[in-house]
């Protein structure tokens, strides 16, 4: 097996290649994603997770009209290069801007750190790691992900349009949650902090 | 047997619908009635205490005994052997929300207790000999039903335990989990750690009737397995359902030095004297609680098999054996 080439991955991200647009056009100059349009953050995600998602878009187990053609145009080597490059970039760090405390943010914090066991929903961080920073190789980081994106993925599991999660773990979380809970936890995860004041 | 049941029993015998299973049903119904009469009236009246939210407790003057009206008793610690086979009524109870935690000095102790319980590695580090936290086996900070929640335990002590053959205080019960599950040593009964854990348990159990088995206590016992638990089958269950989180080698998964997914065997896990090292306890815990968020999805046989596989690995020895050797 050929090794991943991080520099080739960086080139692909910044310039694209034949028939493949530059990833940064949508995923941001440093893989930080775009909050408003909901393009996901890729920087700092586990390499194995990123590679798996590219394969899933190309193979049809994960559906998205923008990513599917791009992933299908990548060869196996390019997928590995891109995954290696984005995994090497720094993950999300709190940037100091504070979030206005609100009941919705507090509900999101509760779901992320304690879950809702009356419906058998574990804390998000029980699987996604403390602070939602991810647990390599299988559990992606959630912290700093655009809320539009997080919400859309929760909905996708609930309606079984994303089905590539191992052991159906995410589906079993999402199917027990309400839309209001999706809103709250997505809002929280865009800028997570450990107290309810949003610091 | 001058009981309405007898008439029912007789009438069933006359009909062609009679089936041998009815006999078993009738016998357990009769046992149940005996239980109701036997249970002290005091228990029933406590179950009706306004602070709890029990479903209507069984009325001792139940006249009609349809098969659907299951015979009922209220379970005590220890369960009297003569009631075995009778269906148990368990009283419903929900612990208070975290937001209701008091802010005074007592609240401080409660909060410390919760911290010790969820992050034992930090808050009771001197008493722990492995890498586990109490919450690993008592989910949702000791609140989750069917994972031996603290509120259901608290109201059942003092109680006699077969494990050490004497009546145990609640402190002694906590000490047991420190010594075996945490492979460590127990804080003294008057230490701040012990006082905090008791305060937390007491607060969670606030308003619960005492001495009565609450719904969700312990790990729900499984029926005897249909086939003897088997390591080989258990290994396959493990690889398909557990390794993702607990690691192919069962050693858990760490993020910057802290375990997100705890180790199931080896030096960092519970010792050979722990409740979890008994296959029946492990199978019961696993069936109700694992994989995380997907409790009650494995078959009972799978739970027995994977428990057998888990406990076939080396772990720290039972300290009671080590001493005598």
């Amino acid at each position: 097996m050929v090794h991943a080439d991080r520099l080739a991955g960086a080139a692909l991200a910044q310039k694209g290649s034949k028939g493949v647009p530059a990833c940064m056009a949508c995923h941001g100059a440093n893989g930080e994603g775009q909050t408003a349009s909901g393009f996901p953050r890729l920087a700092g995600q586990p390499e194995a997770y990123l590679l798996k998602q590219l394969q899933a878009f190309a193979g049809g187990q994960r559906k998205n009209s923008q990513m599917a053609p791009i992933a299908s145009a990548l060869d196996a080597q390019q997928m590995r290069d891109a995954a290696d490059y984005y995994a090497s970039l720094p993950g999300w760090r709190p940037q100091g801007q504070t979030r206005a405390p609100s009941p919705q943010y507090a509900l999101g914090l509760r779901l992320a750190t304690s879950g809702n066991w009356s419906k058998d929903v574990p804390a998000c961080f029980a699987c996604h790691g403390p602070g939602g920073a991810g647990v390599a190789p299988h559990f992606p980081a959630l912290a700093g992900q655009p809320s539009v994106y997080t919400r859309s993925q929760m909905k996708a599991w609930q309606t079984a349009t994303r089905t590539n999660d191992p052991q159906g773990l995410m589906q079993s979380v999402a199917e027990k949650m309400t839309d209001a809970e999706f809103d709250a936890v997505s809002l929280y995860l865009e800028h997570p902090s450990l107290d309810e004041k949003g610091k | 047997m001058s009981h309405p049941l007898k008439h029912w029993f007789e009438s069933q015998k006359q009909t062609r619908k009679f089936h041998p299973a009815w006999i078993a049903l009738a016998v357990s119904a009769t046992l149940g009635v005996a239980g109701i009469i036997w249970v002290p009236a005091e228990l029933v009246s406590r179950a009706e205490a306004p602070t709890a939210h029990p479903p209507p407790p069984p009325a001792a003057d139940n006249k009609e005994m349809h098969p659907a009206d299951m015979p009922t008793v209220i379970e005590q610690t220890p369960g009297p052997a003569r009631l075995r086979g009778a269906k148990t009524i368990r009283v419903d109870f929900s612990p208070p929300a975290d937001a209701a935690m008091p802010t005074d000095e007592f609240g401080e102790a409660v909060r410390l207790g919760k911290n010790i319980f969820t992050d034992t590695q930090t808050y009771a580090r001197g008493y722990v000999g492995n890498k586990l936290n109490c919450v690993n086996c008592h989910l949702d900070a000791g609140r989750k039903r069917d994972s031996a929640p603290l509120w259901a335990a608290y109201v059942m002590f003092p109680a006699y335990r077969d494990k050490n053959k004497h009546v145990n205080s609640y402190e002694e019960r906590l000490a047991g989990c420190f010594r075996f599950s945490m492979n460590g040593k127990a804080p003294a009964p008057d230490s701040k750690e012990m006082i905090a854990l008791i305060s937390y348990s007491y607060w969670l159990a606030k308003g619960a009737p005492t001495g009565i088995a609450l719904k969700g206590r312990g790990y729900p016992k499984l029926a005897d397995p249909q086939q003897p638990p088997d390591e080989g089958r258990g290994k396959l269950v493990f690889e398909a359902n557990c390794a993702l989180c607990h690691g192919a080698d069962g050693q858990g998964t760490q993020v910057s030095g802290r375990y997100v997914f705890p180790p199931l065997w080896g030096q960092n896990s519970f010792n050979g004297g722990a409740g979890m090292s008994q296959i029946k306890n492990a199978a019961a815990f696993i069936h109700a609680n694992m994989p995380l968020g997907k409790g009650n999805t494995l078959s009972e046989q799978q739970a027995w098999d994977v428990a057998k596989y888990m406990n076939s690995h080396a772990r720290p020895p039972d300290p009671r054996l080590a001493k005598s050797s």
Side-chain angles (χ1 to χ4, degrees):
Chain A
M1 214 223 259
V2 204
H3 286 294
D5 180 343
R6 190 170 297 173
L7 288 179
L12 184 64
Q14 281 145 22
K15 303 196 217 56
S17 83
K18 202 154 56 68
V20 181
C23 317
M24 66 176 275
C26 294
H27 291 286
N30 299 301
E32 72 280 15
Q34 289 190 39
T35 307
S37 47
F39 294 132
R41 166 182 195 91
L42 303 179
Q45 291 292 25
E47 180 179 354
Y49 172 80
L50 292 173
L51 181 58
K52 176 187 158 183
Q53 301 308 317
L54 289 171
Q55 290 163 345
F57 285 123
Q61 299 93 329
R62 191 175 162 184
K63 299 191 170 45
N64 180 265
S65 57
Q66 286 167 295
M67 265 317 288
I70 296 171
S72 306
L74 297 174
D75 63 28
Q77 181 65 45
Q78 287 173 310
M79 286 188 187
R80 268 206 300 280
D81 297 345
D84 181 67
Y85 167 68
Y86 279 116
S88 74
L89 299 177
W92 182 82
R93 295 273 175 285
Q95 278 111 47
Q97 79 254 37
T98 51
R99 274 291 145 97
S102 69
Q104 199 184 29
Y105 191 82
L107 171 61
L109 175 128
R110 213 156 52 242
L111 288 165
T113 57
S114 309
N116 179 7
W117 280 103
S118 68
K119 292 201 288 176
D120 271 334
V121 176
C124 311
F125 293 176
C127 285
H128 290 279
V135 184
H138 302 293
F139 300 88
L142 303 178
Q145 212 49 289
S147 64
V148 179
Y149 176 70
T150 301
R151 197 186 189 294
S152 73
Q153 300 307 304
M154 299 304 286
K155 207 66 200 168
W157 272 300
Q158 195 186 48
T159 54
T161 53
R162 181 171 173 184
T163 53
N164 67 333
D165 50 332
Q167 298 175 220
L169 290 171
M170 262 320 286
Q171 195 200 348
S172 110
V173 168
E175 74 188 5
K176 293 176 246 165
M177 293 176 67
T178 63
D179 281 355
E181 288 173 331
F182 289 162
D183 291 340
V185 79
S186 305
L187 175 83
Y188 171 76
L189 290 169
E190 190 171 288
H191 194 96
S193 64
L194 289 177
D195 67 30
E196 306 205 357
K197 289 173 202 77
K199 296 251 176 65
Chain B
M1 194 159 89
S2 64
H3 193 273
L5 247 181
K6 192 181 177 193
H7 300 291
W8 173 77
F9 187 58
E10 290 298 334
S11 70
Q12 291 302 307
K13 271 205 326 203
Q14 313 299 332
T15 71
R16 315 202 125 230
K17 281 182 273 179
F18 183 75
H19 183 277
W22 289 110
I23 296 178
L25 195 68
V27 167
S28 58
T30 312
L31 272 175
V33 173
I36 290 171
I37 295 163
W38 185 85
V39 168
E42 194 210 343
L43 276 182
V44 175
S45 66
R46 281 209 222 159
E48 283 165 338
T51 39
H53 325 288
D61 59 353
N62 236 352
K63 291 268 158 43
E64 293 274 320
M65 282 305 290
H66 298 296
D69 299 339
M70 294 306 279
T72 51
V73 296
I74 293 181
E75 190 182 86
Q76 286 184 296
T77 297
R82 57 207 263 206
L83 300 182
R84 209 162 278 153
K87 172 159 173 170
T88 302
I89 271 254
R90 292 188 159 214
V91 175
D92 236 324
F93 174 77
S94 300
D98 256 4
M101 221 180 255
T103 50
D104 54 7
E105 212 175 314
F106 169 63
E108 287 298 300
V110 172
R111 206 153 286 128
L112 177 61
K114 182 182 173 186
N115 288 340
I116 293 172
F117 200 79
T118 53
D119 187 0
T120 324
Q121 295 293 326
T122 304
Y123 290 89
R125 115 172 48 80
Y127 302 99
V128 175
N130 60 19
K131 296 291 182 189
L132 300 185
N133 295 302
C134 307
V135 68
N136 293 159
C137 302
H138 304 281
L139 271 51
D140 193 17
R143 290 169 170 275
K144 186 185 172 294
R145 282 160 193 253
D146 299 341
S147 87
L150 293 180
W151 43 268
Y154 184 78
V155 297
M156 297 304 274
F157 286 84
Y160 179 83
R161 291 189 72 210
D162 275 340
K163 184 161 184 165
N164 50 25
K165 312 261 183 261
H166 67 264
V167 173
N168 286 221
S169 64
Y170 188 67
E171 287 89 330
E172 281 174 279
R173 184 63 193 87
L174 297 178
C177 267
F178 271 104
R179 192 160 168 227
F180 303 108
S181 301
M182 308 296 288
N183 193 34
K185 57 177 197 285
D190 59 353
S191 62
K192 77 171 189 313
E193 288 83 2
M194 203 51 115
I195 289 169
L197 282 168
I198 291 166
S199 303
Y200 180 49
S201 307
Y202 167 87
W203 176 75
L204 285 172
K206 220 172 149 199
T210 53
I212 289 175
L214 299 173
K215 209 183 269 176
R217 188 188 177 202
Y219 307 132
K221 303 218 170 353
L222 302 181
D224 287 344
Q226 295 192 317
Q227 306 171 53
D230 179 85
E231 253 176 74
R233 283 196 309 264
K235 183 172 194 286
L236 298 178
V237 176
F238 180 82
E239 284 162 358
N241 299 283
C242 323
L244 183 84
C245 297
H246 292 288
D249 57 359
Q251 294 311 290
T253 308
Q254 300 180 63
V255 170
S256 33
R258 297 179 60 89
Y259 281 87
V260 180
F261 305 121
L264 302 186
W265 60 78
Q267 282 313 302
N268 294 326
S269 191
F270 53 89
N271 71 35
M276 198 63 88
S277 72
Q278 290 178 24
I279 293 178
K280 70 171 166 37
N281 286 334
F285 168 82
I286 292 165
H287 188 261
N289 297 292
M290 290 290 140
L292 190 74
K294 296 194 72 172
N296 298 308
T297 58
L298 296 180
S299 71
E300 296 196 2
Q301 186 68 48
Q302 285 176 314
W304 283 105
D305 291 343
V306 77
K308 169 93 180 182
Y309 174 70
M310 173 173 92
N311 284 343
S312 71
H313 292 85
R315 56 177 70 260
D318 182 342
R320 294 168 301 185
L321 302 180
K323 206 178 278 170
S324 59
S325 66

